[in-house]
Amino acid sequence: MVVWKKLITPVDATDKTPYQRSFYVEGGNFTYAGIVSTSIKSILKQMGLPADVVRKAAIVSYESEINIVSYAKKGVIKLTVDSQTIQIEAIDEGPGIPNIDLAMQEGYSTADQKIREMGFGAGMGLCNIKNYSDTFNISSEIGKGAFLKMIIDRH
Amino acid sequence: MKLREVKEILDAEVIIGEDKLDLEVKTAFGADLMSDVLAFAKAGSLLLTGLTNDQVIRTADILDIAAIIMVRGKRPASEAIVLAKGLKIPILTTKYILFETAGRLYAKGIVGCLEKVDNASGRN
Ligand SMILES: Nc1ncnc2c1ncn2[C@@H]1O[C@H](COP(=O)(O)OP(=O)(O)OP(=O)(O)O)[C@@H](O)[C@H]1O
Ligand SMILES: [Mg+2]
């Protein structure tokens, strides 16, 4: 509890010292898929942010995390909280997304059987991320990886 | 209605959450696709599903789902039980199929998280 207090205090104080933390995500390993987003959610909750804001951030983080696990070799999810916004960046090393417009389409999915057995592969994840973000950016370099940045307003 | 009443209506077995049966629920969402759940389910709802893996538990946690109802007699794997216990998410299992589960709850006043989507592509 003492540890949390130390981490959390600067966030509410001023945006000159935003709270920042990075989490490693392993590609292909479904055992822990979602654990990062569970942690992010609990951090945000303990900061005392409004429930609907926490929920939006948790959803966009979770969909990005599942995509890294599903399609990339490895990645990082970066959480930044300042006085106005929650920012979540999902940066991965993997095949990248050859056609972003296509990937963003509802229902488009290249998910394999393993991913589908987990309940994913509806081709809705990126749409969900866009819908729950106040600002959403996606870019990719083929053969290198994908980069997503989601901003959620705190108020 | 209280989760206790949900349990009775569905003749369900409580796998986790005996201590949470006084929880109030008003809405439910049924799906086997997690991204559909993430798109539509409201906080505090019941999640009716045929999936039993860790991802269902995590999805329920992310969305502040009140309780998971596993249909068609499905039971969570032991790892999923440990996870749900840690995240304090009640799990009930019923032998009714998804259609019957939804119908029985609806008849007693539980409503959907949304009635229908706005456009043909299935988004709200
Ligand atoms: N990080 C990534 N690296 C490479 N390809 C990706 C990545 N994220 C998404 N994609 C590609 O974009 C497609 C659409 O992704 P999206 O998250 O919208 O749907 P999905 O993962 O297939 O299913 P859902 O998210 O609904 O369970 C994926 O099937 C995959 O081909
Ligand atoms: Mg996805």
Side-chain angles (χ1 to χ4, degrees):
Chain A
M1 270 344 227
V2 177
V3 176
W4 284 121
K5 275 232 174 80
K6 252 200 260 171
L7 290 172
I8 291 160
T9 312
V11 178
D12 293 324
T14 161
D15 62 354
K16 277 183 216 137
T17 53
Y19 172 81
Q20 210 157 33
R21 206 172 146 186
S22 294
F23 303 83
Y24 176 76
V25 180
E26 191 187 337
N29 186 352
F30 282 95
T31 316
Y32 299 109
I35 197 165
V36 165
S37 304
T38 306
S39 311
I40 285 180
K41 188 189 173 207
S42 93
I43 289 170
L44 296 175
K45 223 163 131 184
Q46 292 189 55
M47 285 177 177
L49 292 161
D52 58 323
V53 171
V54 173
R55 190 179 134 95
K56 282 162 78 177
I59 291 172
V60 302
S61 166
Y62 185 55
E63 290 280 19
S64 324
E65 184 180 356
I66 297 293
N67 279 356
I68 295 175
V69 175
S70 301
Y71 309 112
K73 271 209 303 276
K74 60 179 177 178
V76 168
I77 294 185
K78 242 160 90 179
L79 169 71
T80 308
V81 185
D82 61 31
S83 65
Q84 301 298 322
T85 63
I86 300 168
Q87 295 162 39
I88 290 164
E89 287 162 277
I91 305 144
D92 70 51
E93 286 173 35
I97 307 172
N99 186 339
I100 289 178
D101 287 340
L102 186 63
M104 288 298 302
Q105 272 178 30
E106 291 156 17
Y108 176 81
S109 178
T110 60
D112 61 19
Q113 193 51 35
K114 199 173 153 202
I115 297 166
R116 289 176 196 278
E117 272 164 21
M118 307 297 301
F120 287 91
M124 302 260 287
L126 290 171
C127 305
N128 278 350
I129 294 172
K130 191 173 172 222
N131 288 340
Y132 283 109
S133 303
D134 292 304
T135 310
F136 172 58
N137 270 300
I138 178 167
S139 58
S140 167
E141 207 174 318
I142 297 167
K144 277 202 140 171
F147 173 72
L148 280 71
K149 181 167 181 174
M150 289 72 72
I151 303 178
I152 288 146
D153 300 332
R154 283 179 56 166
H155 308 287
Chain B
M1 76 174 66
K2 289 206 191 313
L3 196 53
R4 186 181 314 282
E5 209 181 319
V6 172
K7 175 194 167 197
E8 277 151 25
I9 292 166
L10 299 177
D11 194 15
E13 179 191 334
V14 181
I15 293 173
I16 296 168
E18 272 304 342
D19 55 326
K20 289 216 172 168
L21 295 179
D22 285 324
L23 219 79
E24 271 297 325
V25 288
K26 294 191 181 78
T27 54
F29 189 79
D32 284 352
L33 287 171
M34 289 305 111
S35 284
D36 276 341
V37 181
L38 288 154
F40 301 120
K42 283 197 193 131
S45 298
L46 296 170
L47 172 57
L48 319 180
T49 186
L51 285 180
T52 60
N53 56 37
D54 285 11
Q55 252 47 57
V56 180
I57 318 290
R58 293 230 182 259
T59 303
D61 174 59
I62 294 291
L63 294 171
D64 294 319
I65 290 293
I68 302 168
I69 313 288
M70 293 184 175
V71 301
R72 303 190 292 275
K74 302 258 177 167
R75 308 181 76 88
S78 56
E79 306 88 70
I81 293 180
V82 172
L83 185 60
K85 266 191 192 147
L87 295 170
K88 300 194 172 65
I89 299 167
I91 301 180
L92 280 67
T93 174
T94 177
K95 292 205 168 68
Y96 288 113
I97 59 170
L98 180 58
F99 183 83
E100 282 290 329
T101 304
R104 277 161 202 266
L105 292 176
Y106 192 86
K108 292 286 169 80
I110 297 282
V111 294
C113 285
L114 75 169
E115 271 186 35
K116 55 180 178 180
V117 294
D118 285 342
N119 57 33
S121 61
R123 305 291 307 184
N124 68 347

